[in-house]
Amino acid sequence: MQEFDFTSTGTTPVVIPRSQHNISRANISDHALKVLYRLRQENFQAHLVGGGVRDLLLGHEPKDFDIATDATPEQVRQVFRNCRLIGRRFRLAHVHFGQDIIEVATFRGRGDATDQRDRQLTNGMIIRDNIYGTIEEDALRRDFTINALYYDITDFSVIDYAGGLADLQAGRLRLIGDPEQRYREDPVRMLRAVRFACKLGFTIDPPTERPLFTLGSLLADISAARLFDELIKLFQFGYGLEVFEKLRHYQLFGQLFPDTEDCLAHEEHAFPLTFVNRGLDSTDQRIRAKKPIAAAFLFAILLWEPVRQRAEQLQAAGLAPLDAMLSASHTVCERQQRLIAIPKRYSLTMREIWLLQMRLELRDSKRPSRLLAHPRFRAAYDFLVLRAEAGEVNAELADWWTRFQSASVQERVKMLDGNVKRRRTTRKRRSKSTATAPLTTAN
Ligand code: ATP
Ligand code: MG
């Protein structure tokens, strides 16, 4: 990013002309440019805002382009045929170009308006925000200063109402306004703070950081569906391990995954934490290598420890291993769903991965070959390897499956024979120790 010589003075905007910043139209998507120009043609204001401007100034490739305008959502719909209005809490226009969607938001106004239908607050939390205003008001109701920079399509300048350019240069994440009030208005901003700190490698300004330690319980008021969307953004962009560590640091993780946090906090062994760390790290590496990753796998990692512990307890109480696993995964998923709405297609896959762990551990005579053809075998095997790496299961088990997959038919038969023998000796050993058990207890 270029160095700018300016100081921001709150409501007087700093305007950086095209010659002094690095945003080029060549780096803005054609679809976003089309929407900007079309709105201008219709005499509306049109600016690129948010992550698009922030990331371009930092020399990164933006994930998407958001547009802000003085046209109301209905007016935007009249301009674009390929447009849909979405959201009740926060009404927006989506302009569709095939798979690509350009989000167009109308400038939001200040919170002092009293129309209950347009802006609703419950205990300081904004549950609906559809009051329109000026660009300046819009800038000040955005979350972080670095997200409140506008790229003006009329003269290609960048407009800064909140000191975002200085923060961008300093690598500082700062909420606009009073941090505690801004988190109370929308507690999801706490998760966004963690996300941007990790994604951009920025430090969180102390006044913005401090309430993160104390306001976590406000996340209980956020809908499970919104939290799921936010979690995907937190964990699926290649910095999931850092996000996990920061969420735990601010005691926010326990608000989202209370059962997992409970297990991790009270566990004397190192393997459960090592498992999550390794799982997230390997997911991050896959994302960076542009390999596909499954959200189900990610949630399976995050929820494994409570499932494992519960299954272990049920087994100790006399349930068969598969039944114990079925019951444990059902209970843990159901409890988690109350907080985070994990879609069914993901939770079904998660449960398959967990159940397959039991079957991978059994590796008895006919089944191993059949398991290889299971649609979730690969995911379950990767999961088992992580467990072995974390020291939760014997590395020999994971090695066995690694060899079994690449073995010839004859070799597989031999490996299975070896299994039968191993089981016999284990059984014998077990029955011997059972025989001695009464003596031991009698002592
Ligand atoms: P990303 O790179 O993840 O898209 P982004 O900053 O563009 O980052 P979006 O969720 O796309 O994030 O939101 C676009 C913009 O809308 C933000 O930059 C910010 O200005 C504003 N915004 C989004 N969510 C909030 C919120 N909860 N409170 C205030 N402003 C918000
Ligand atoms: Mg965005």
Side-chain angles (χ1 to χ4, degrees):
M1 199 187 136
Q2 233 167 298
E3 288 288 314
F4 302 109
D5 179 23
F6 68 91
T7 43
S8 174
T9 51
T11 52
T12 319
V14 170
V15 179
I16 309 293
R18 172 65 190 95
S19 58
Q20 288 176 38
H21 67 71
N22 62 333
I23 298 185
S24 148
R25 271 169 295 163
N27 297 325
I28 302 171
S29 84
D30 288 346
H31 295 150
L33 286 173
K34 246 186 211 160
V35 174
L36 289 167
Y37 282 129
R38 191 69 222 286
L39 286 167
R40 282 299 303 151
Q41 260 175 16
E42 299 294 325
N43 286 322
F44 292 114
Q45 293 179 51
H47 298 81
L48 208 59
V49 67
V53 182
R54 178 195 70 216
D55 292 350
L56 286 176
L57 285 169
L58 289 170
H60 302 169
E61 192 187 330
K63 180 163 71 63
D64 49 34
F65 291 97
D66 301 301
I67 288 172
T69 178
D70 59 348
T72 64
E74 284 71 20
Q75 286 171 323
V76 177
R77 185 164 51 183
Q78 279 159 17
V79 175
F80 300 97
R81 264 186 304 128
N82 47 339
C83 175
R84 261 190 239 145
L85 302 190
I86 61 142
R88 238 161 53 89
R89 193 180 65 82
F90 194 93
R91 202 153 172 75
L92 289 171
H94 271 181
V95 185
H96 289 251
F97 297 90
Q99 295 281 51
D100 191 22
I101 295 176
I102 303 294
E103 200 162 275
V104 183
T106 307
F107 295 148
R108 257 47 181 193
R110 262 201 292 267
D112 45 15
T114 49
D115 189 333
Q116 284 297 304
R117 279 167 308 148
D118 291 329
R119 180 183 281 256
Q120 281 183 15
L121 278 116
T122 305
N123 298 331
M125 187 164 103
I126 298 175
I127 53 170
R128 186 177 296 196
D129 187 359
N130 288 316
I131 293 174
Y132 305 126
T134 63
I135 182 171
E136 182 191 325
E137 288 170 334
D138 187 72
L140 300 180
R141 66 91 203 163
R142 286 180 182 271
D143 49 5
F144 302 97
T145 61
I146 57 165
N147 286 348
L149 296 164
Y150 296 77
Y151 172 80
D152 189 340
I153 197 64
T154 52
D155 61 2
F156 316 122
S157 62
V158 171
I159 312 170
D160 178 9
Y161 286 92
L165 281 162
D167 287 339
L168 212 55
Q169 280 176 347
R172 183 171 54 219
L173 195 63
R174 188 163 60 92
L175 271 171
I176 299 170
D178 174 60
E180 177 159 343
Q181 185 192 337
R182 300 306 311 279
Y183 288 133
R184 285 190 184 281
E185 279 173 8
D186 182 4
V188 167
R189 289 174 186 151
M190 293 189 276
L191 302 180
R192 290 176 61 88
V194 169
R195 175 153 72 91
F196 293 125
C198 296
K199 172 178 165 157
L200 306 172
F202 276 26
T203 44
I204 309 179
D205 194 39
T208 295
E209 185 182 38
R210 245 172 267 128
L212 293 177
F213 290 102
T214 54
L215 298 182
S217 62
L218 296 176
L219 286 171
D221 296 328
I222 304 299
S223 79
R226 192 167 173 221
L227 282 183
F228 174 77
D229 291 345
E230 231 21 74
L231 279 174
I232 290 292
K233 290 188 205 160
L234 280 163
F235 284 106
Q236 281 204 322
F237 286 94
Y239 39 85
L241 178 56
E242 208 186 323
V243 162
F244 170 67
E245 284 168 351
K246 274 213 167 37
L247 288 177
R248 288 197 83 207
H249 175 69
Y250 296 123
Q251 288 161 41
L252 295 170
F253 186 75
Q255 302 292 334
L256 302 166
F257 294 93
D259 289 344
T260 310
E261 180 55 37
D262 213 32
C263 291
L264 296 179
H266 298 110
E267 179 61 56
E268 73 230 37
H269 299 290
F271 69 82
L273 186 59
T274 313
F275 172 75
V276 178
N277 284 338
R278 277 186 171 262
L280 292 176
D281 190 38
S282 79
T283 310
D284 288 344
Q285 284 176 29
R286 283 186 70 86
I287 295 167
R288 288 195 203 122
K290 303 228 181 311
K291 290 186 189 162
I293 62 136
F297 193 78
L298 200 86
F299 282 98
I301 290 170
L302 291 170
L303 292 169
W304 172 239
E305 189 52 22
V307 171
R308 192 194 67 78
Q309 285 194 14
R310 203 174 171 87
E312 197 173 80
Q313 285 157 10
L314 292 171
Q315 271 197 59
L319 247 64
L322 279 174
D323 291 339
M325 184 53 72
L326 263 176
S327 166
S329 35
H330 176 78
T331 311
V332 171
C333 278
E334 203 175 61
R335 287 166 59 88
Q336 187 62 43
Q337 290 290 354
R338 291 179 210 152
L339 296 172
I340 293 166
I342 304 171
K344 200 154 195 163
R345 63 180 190 284
Y346 295 153
S347 58
L348 286 176
T349 307
M350 270 154 55
R351 287 161 73 169
E352 276 182 310
I353 293 173
W354 294 332
L355 261 185
L356 282 170
Q357 298 309 301
M358 295 292 101
R359 294 183 58 192
L360 291 174
E361 284 177 33
L362 292 174
R363 53 174 162 168
D364 55 358
S365 60
K366 270 176 271 160
R367 286 190 196 137
S369 316
R370 255 197 276 157
L371 267 190
L372 293 186
H374 192 289
R376 303 282 169 243
F377 172 80
R378 186 70 215 185
Y381 163 75
D382 288 345
F383 201 86
L384 180 75
V385 170
L386 285 173
R387 291 171 64 205
E389 284 174 359
E392 184 217 315
V393 288
N394 206 325
E396 186 272 329
L397 179 67
D399 287 347
W400 190 91
W401 279 104
T402 309
R403 282 185 286 115
F404 190 74
Q405 286 173 77
S406 54
S408 66
V409 178
Q410 288 97 324
E411 282 166 340
R412 281 187 188 172
V413 173
K414 251 197 226 156
M415 289 175 79
L416 291 171
D417 276 353
N419 265 354
V420 176
K421 281 194 198 113
R422 185 180 25 244
R423 234 188 333 275
R424 275 198 204 121
T425 21
T426 332
R427 251 186 239 140
K428 259 188 220 151
R429 232 183 276 136
R430 256 196 223 134
S431 48
K432 260 190 206 158
S433 53
T434 330
T436 55
L439 280 177
T440 340
T441 32
N443 282 341

